[in-house]
């Protein structure tokens, strides 16, 4: 039976490949490239039907069942980039992974769980490597842009997965997935959410920097045409403005991180969730370190002030921890 299954796997995979490749070739020959995605999507539906038939005729753990299910999901994943473009590919993969993971958890399908996790991982890599940096700064609108949408959706999906797995911990055990995966999902969800707003703040300043540089270029060119000499004063003024803008950007991001950290800490106390509280404290400590580095780079006076302030804060924290050690360990740690 295993030998028969292995031949069936090779036969099914070969049919899927030649059927899809042949169909795409014919559509291209007749200049119907716009139908490539629809054709592969119909092929995936066909294999989902075959998977359903195999599921009821053989064991759900059989090689043929897993193979046909894998082919169906792979064809569906391939159909998406054939029919869509840009960031919408990632968004479609994310939604596909949500459906697969929900079905796998709801009905205890281990195979679907791994396929869904794989599709989600593929979507995350595509978002981080391609979609985040692919934007036009001159057409940028804060919050109302596809990059923010992708990061926001990823944050919601990871948080939802953490909640789903928490409510179905026995299913997670049957999939041989450690319970720590729930904590990882919660952390990743918050990092995506924080990253989404951080990118928005940074891009707002990118837009201001772009506008400033563009206007400075016009002013420098006009001044050069009038005087015939390089306007060094304008160049120096532009450089100072850019430095001031970068400092303002760093401060705005630090404020955002601090607010998010306090929000997590408050939410952790309200929900009595230790993980969220610890995550908030870590983000707050990272923010403090960032502020210290930012101040250290501003000059000698700021270095002295930052050292004094952070030294005083360290002593204050040490004093508070020593006095209220048991309460802090119980409530926060």
């Amino acid at each position: 039976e295993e030998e028969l299954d292995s031949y069936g796997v090779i036969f099914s995979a070969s049919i899927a490949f030649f059927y899809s490749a042949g169909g795409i070739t014919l559509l291209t020959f007749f200049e119907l490239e716009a139908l490539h995605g629809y054709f592969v999507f119909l092929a995936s539906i066909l294999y989902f039907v075959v998977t359903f038939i195999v599921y009821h005729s053989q064991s759900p753990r059989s090689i043929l069942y897993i193979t046909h299910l894998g082919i169906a999901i792979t064809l569906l994943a391939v159909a998406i980039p054939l029919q869509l473009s840009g960031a919408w590919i990632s968004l479609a993969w994310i939604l596909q992974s949500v459906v697969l993971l929900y079905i796998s958890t709801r009905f205890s399908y281990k195979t679907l769980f791994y396929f869904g996790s794989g599709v989600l991982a593929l979507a995350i890599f595509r978002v981080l490597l391609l979609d985040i940096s692919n934007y036009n700064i001159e057409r940028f609108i804060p919050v109302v842009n596809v990059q923010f949408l992708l990061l926001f959706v990823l944050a919601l999906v990871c948080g939802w997965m953490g909640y789903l797995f928490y409510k179905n911990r026995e299913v997670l055990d049957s999939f041989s997935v450690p319970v720590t995966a729930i904590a990882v999902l919660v952390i990743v969800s918050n990092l995506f959410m924080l990253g989404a707003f951080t990118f928005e703040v940074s891009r707002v300043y990118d837009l201001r920097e772009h506008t400033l540089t563009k206007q400075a270029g016009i002013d420098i060119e006009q001044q050069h045409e009038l005087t015939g000499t390089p306007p060094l004063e304008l160049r120096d003024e532009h450089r100072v403005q850019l430095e001031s803008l970068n400092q303002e950007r760093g401060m705005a991001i630090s404020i955002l991180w601090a607010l998010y950290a306090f929000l997590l800490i408050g939410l952790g106390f309200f929900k009595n969730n230790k993980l969220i509280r610890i995550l908030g404290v870590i983000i707050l400590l990272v923010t403090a370190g960032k502020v210290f580095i930012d101040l250290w780079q501003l000059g000698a006076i700021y270095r002295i002030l930052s050292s004094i302030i952070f030294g005083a804060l360290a002593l204050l924290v040490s004093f508070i921890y020593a006095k209220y050690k048991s309460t802090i360990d119980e409530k926060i740690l």
Side-chain angles (χ1 to χ4, degrees), residues 219-295:
D219 294 341
I220 290 172
E221 184 177 350
Q222 290 177 349
Q223 187 69 17
H224 180 66
E225 291 177 355
L226 292 174
T227 62
T229 57
L232 298 178
E233 295 82 3
L234 287 177
R235 294 184 186 276
D236 292 339
E237 181 182 351
H238 175 239
R239 179 178 55 79
V240 171
Q241 289 175 337
L242 287 181
E243 290 178 355
S244 176
L245 201 60
N246 285 327
Q247 293 171 6
E248 187 178 336
R249 181 208 305 264
M251 185 170 294
I253 291 175
S254 298
I255 293 173
L256 170 67
W257 288 4
L259 290 175
Y260 193 84
F262 283 119
L263 177 64
L264 287 182
I265 294 173
L267 183 63
F269 277 110
F270 180 74
K271 293 290 186 179
N272 195 25
N273 190 304
K274 184 183 296 185
L275 175 62
I276 296 179
R277 291 198 299 267
I278 293 176
L279 183 59
V281 171
I282 291 174
I283 294 176
L284 190 61
L285 292 175
V286 171
T287 303
K290 180 183 179 300
V291 172
F292 179 80
I293 294 174
D294 291 342
L295 290 175

Side-chain angles (χ1 to χ4, degrees), residues 176-223:
S176 301
V177 177
V179 182
T180 52
I182 299 175
V184 172
L185 286 170
V186 173
I187 293 171
V188 171
S189 173
N190 281 280
L191 290 179
F192 275 130
M193 187 66 72
L194 184 59
F197 287 101
T198 301
F199 275 116
E200 290 305 291
V201 171
S202 183
R203 283 172 182 154
V204 167
Y205 282 94
D206 284 341
L207 180 60
R208 290 178 59 183
E209 182 178 326
H210 175 76
T211 304
L212 180 63
T213 302
K214 188 175 180 180
Q215 185 59 47
I218 295 173
D219 294 341
I220 290 172
E221 184 177 350
Q222 290 177 349
Q223 187 69 17

Side-chain angles (χ1 to χ4, degrees), residues 156-168:
L156 293 181
V157 168
C158 291
W160 168 80
M161 285 173 55
Y163 175 79
L164 184 67
F165 294 163
Y166 177 76
K167 291 295 184 180
N168 299 274

Side-chain angles (χ1 to χ4, degrees), residues 5-173:
D5 277 353
S6 64
Y7 283 121
V9 168
I10 298 174
F11 182 70
S12 298
S14 300
I15 289 178
F17 174 78
F18 287 110
Y19 176 76
S20 302
I24 291 175
T25 302
L26 285 175
L27 289 174
T28 304
F29 178 78
F30 290 105
E31 298 182 353
L32 296 173
E33 291 85 353
L35 299 179
H36 284 174
Y38 292 111
F39 177 79
V40 178
F41 174 75
L42 290 176
S44 71
I45 296 298
L46 174 62
Y47 269 89
F48 274 119
V49 173
V50 174
T51 301
F52 180 78
I53 296 173
V54 174
Y55 175 80
H56 285 279
S57 61
Q58 298 188 22
S59 169
R61 296 183 179 180
S62 69
I63 299 176
L64 277 179
Y65 167 74
I66 296 174
T67 300
H68 284 91
L69 181 61
I71 292 174
I73 294 173
T74 302
L75 287 174
L76 181 58
V78 171
I80 290 171
L82 286 176
Q83 200 61 43
L84 301 177
S85 62
W88 299 110
I89 297 174
S90 301
L91 184 60
W93 281 346
I94 294 171
L95 296 178
Q96 180 185 353
S97 68
V98 167
V99 174
L100 294 176
L101 289 170
Y102 175 77
I103 294 175
S104 68
T105 307
R106 178 69 176 80
F107 299 100
S108 300
Y109 289 163
K110 185 176 182 180
T111 306
L112 272 183
F113 175 82
Y114 288 113
F115 277 121
S117 301
V119 173
L120 181 61
L122 184 63
I124 290 175
F125 277 113
R126 193 180 194 282
V127 169
L128 297 179
L129 296 179
L130 295 178
D131 298 325
I132 292 300
S133 58
N134 187 20
Y135 69 99
N136 188 338
I137 188 61
E138 294 184 347
R139 298 180 181 178
F140 169 74
I141 302 176
V143 179
V144 188
N145 59 82
V146 72
Q147 287 77 23
F148 177 80
L149 173 65
L150 287 174
L151 289 174
F152 188 78
V153 169
L154 279 176
L156 293 181
V157 168
C158 291
W160 168 80
M161 285 173 55
Y163 175 79
L164 184 67
F165 294 163
Y166 177 76
K167 291 295 184 180
N168 299 274
R169 291 187 293 275
E170 67 284 352
V171 177
L172 210 63
D173 292 337

